[in-house]
Amino acid sequence: MSTQAQEGFLKGFHAGRPAVTTEVFAAARAAGARTGYEILRDRVTGRRRVLDLGCGDGLLLELLAGPPGRRLAGVDLSPQSLSLARRRPALSAAALLEARAQRLPFRTGAFDACVSHLALMLMADLDQVLAELSRVLAPGGLLACAIGAGGGGTAYELFGELLPEALAGAPAGRRMPALGDRRARDPEALGALVTAAGFTGEPEWETATVDMSGPPERVWRALSGMYDLAALDPAALAALGRTFHTRAVAVTGEGKDLDCHFRLRVLTARRP
């Protein structure tokens, strides 16, 4: 699948759901009561010039906007997501640009840090993306990325059982293409790419599991934001949601929460 086709799919999906990542993960908390966004925020404490790669609707940038004098920038493929980010008062002075990660519109050494929440793993030409990040980070600059490492719990098990049948009749042209570079999901391979791009030493890794459990209808709203479901028309998606809810209640009991969690790998690397 070409880079153009992958990016076209992502732009089309986020045109319809421009805040989907925030909708799913803004309230999903790991041990210590921090979200994935807050983990990244804390990684770049004290850094003055910060870029958010794949900034979406701007939630992470808003969390970063607190310290006086901090300069923020965000790039994303989706103009609809960026439009939402521009509505956040805290980001009135931020540079929010529609751009590809493979060719960032910033000068060399423009930033002290770069963060990215569940976006790096969706990007093709990863060698070029990392080369660009190395270029725009100043000496001593910090890269902190959250990479998805899969879901778990009863909700994901049930979703995995129902999805193949739901997709069986979907038009091939609407199905999700293979997204990103598979090496982004392999810590060893990604670490080697980061080092090759000019970052110093071995990257640091932290694994965090965020809790997305709740009533079946709330869990379904989160799972319905998965890219796989772009292949379904509204009627088919609604039917799948009803089946999911019925099966979930049968498993957990009426009025009980459904177990659902998602694992993040957080990479931190530094420029020499």
Side-chain angles (χ1 to χ4, degrees), residues 101-215:
Q102 295 83 354
R103 190 171 182 179
L104 293 171
F106 304 109
R107 62 176 175 81
T108 298
F111 299 101
D112 305 312
C114 173
V115 293
S116 186
H117 183 270
L118 298 181
L120 189 70
M121 64 194 192
L122 302 175
M123 297 174 183
D125 303 324
L126 194 53
D127 307 73
Q128 180 60 28
V129 172
L130 291 168
E132 276 291 271
L133 293 178
S134 181
R135 180 184 67 79
V136 301
L137 284 171
L142 184 73
L143 173 64
C145 299
I147 311 291
T154 305
Y156 270 93
E157 293 171 4
L158 179 55
F159 185 81
E161 293 172 9
L162 296 176
L163 186 62
E165 183 177 351
L167 293 179
R174 293 187 56 177
R175 296 193 182 192
M176 178 187 72
L179 296 175
D181 187 319
R182 69 180 63 181
R183 294 174 295 178
R185 299 176 185 270
D186 179 338
E188 185 175 346
L190 181 56
L193 288 173
V194 168
T195 300
F199 292 84
T200 186
E202 290 289 328
E204 300 170 12
W205 290 96
E206 175 188 353
T207 299
T209 299
V210 295
D211 187 5
M212 301 162 59
S213 302

Side-chain angles (χ1 to χ4, degrees), residues 3-269:
T3 299
Q4 184 177 12
Q6 291 183 42
E7 293 179 357
F9 172 86
L10 290 168
K11 291 183 74 169
F13 185 93
H14 288 279
R17 293 192 68 174
V20 64
T21 310
T22 294
E23 292 166 2
V24 174
F25 290 102
R29 298 192 175 275
R34 290 190 301 168
T35 66
Y37 298 102
E38 290 166 335
I39 291 171
L40 292 178
R41 176 201 62 192
D42 295 345
R43 283 287 186 283
V44 297
T45 297
R47 305 282 171 158
R48 190 173 65 87
R49 301 171 298 163
V50 185
L51 169 66
D52 185 353
L53 186 71
C55 65
D57 71 331
L59 175 63
L60 177 53
L61 282 170
E62 186 175 63
L63 291 174
L64 291 165
R70 178 173 267 178
R71 292 166 51 192
L72 299 174
V75 296
D76 203 275
L77 287 176
S78 169
Q80 292 83 6
S81 297
L82 288 166
S83 179
L84 294 180
R86 293 186 183 105
R87 297 179 194 175
R88 296 181 183 268
L91 302 184
S92 59
L96 300 171
L97 304 175
E98 183 180 348
R100 301 179 67 245
Q102 295 83 354
R103 190 171 182 179
L104 293 171
F106 304 109
R107 62 176 175 81
T108 298
F111 299 101
D112 305 312
C114 173
V115 293
S116 186
H117 183 270
L118 298 181
L120 189 70
M121 64 194 192
L122 302 175
M123 297 174 183
D125 303 324
L126 194 53
D127 307 73
Q128 180 60 28
V129 172
L130 291 168
E132 276 291 271
L133 293 178
S134 181
R135 180 184 67 79
V136 301
L137 284 171
L142 184 73
L143 173 64
C145 299
I147 311 291
T154 305
Y156 270 93
E157 293 171 4
L158 179 55
F159 185 81
E161 293 172 9
L162 296 176
L163 186 62
E165 183 177 351
L167 293 179
R174 293 187 56 177
R175 296 193 182 192
M176 178 187 72
L179 296 175
D181 187 319
R182 69 180 63 181
R183 294 174 295 178
R185 299 176 185 270
D186 179 338
E188 185 175 346
L190 181 56
L193 288 173
V194 168
T195 300
F199 292 84
T200 186
E202 290 289 328
E204 300 170 12
W205 290 96
E206 175 188 353
T207 299
T209 299
V210 295
D211 187 5
M212 301 162 59
S213 302
E217 58 271 18
R218 192 175 80 197
V219 173
W220 171 251
R221 284 197 297 273
L223 294 180
S224 69
M226 295 181 69
Y227 293 127
D228 310 66
L229 300 184
L232 302 182
D233 61 36
L237 182 60
L240 178 59
R242 290 192 295 270
T243 301
F244 178 88
H245 185 273
T246 299
R247 292 277 300 277
V249 170
V251 170
T252 64
E254 192 69 47
K256 299 291 184 62
D257 282 354
L258 186 63
D259 177 39
C260 184
H261 52 267
F262 190 82
R263 196 156 55 100
L264 302 173
R265 292 192 184 103
V266 182
L267 172 149
T268 306

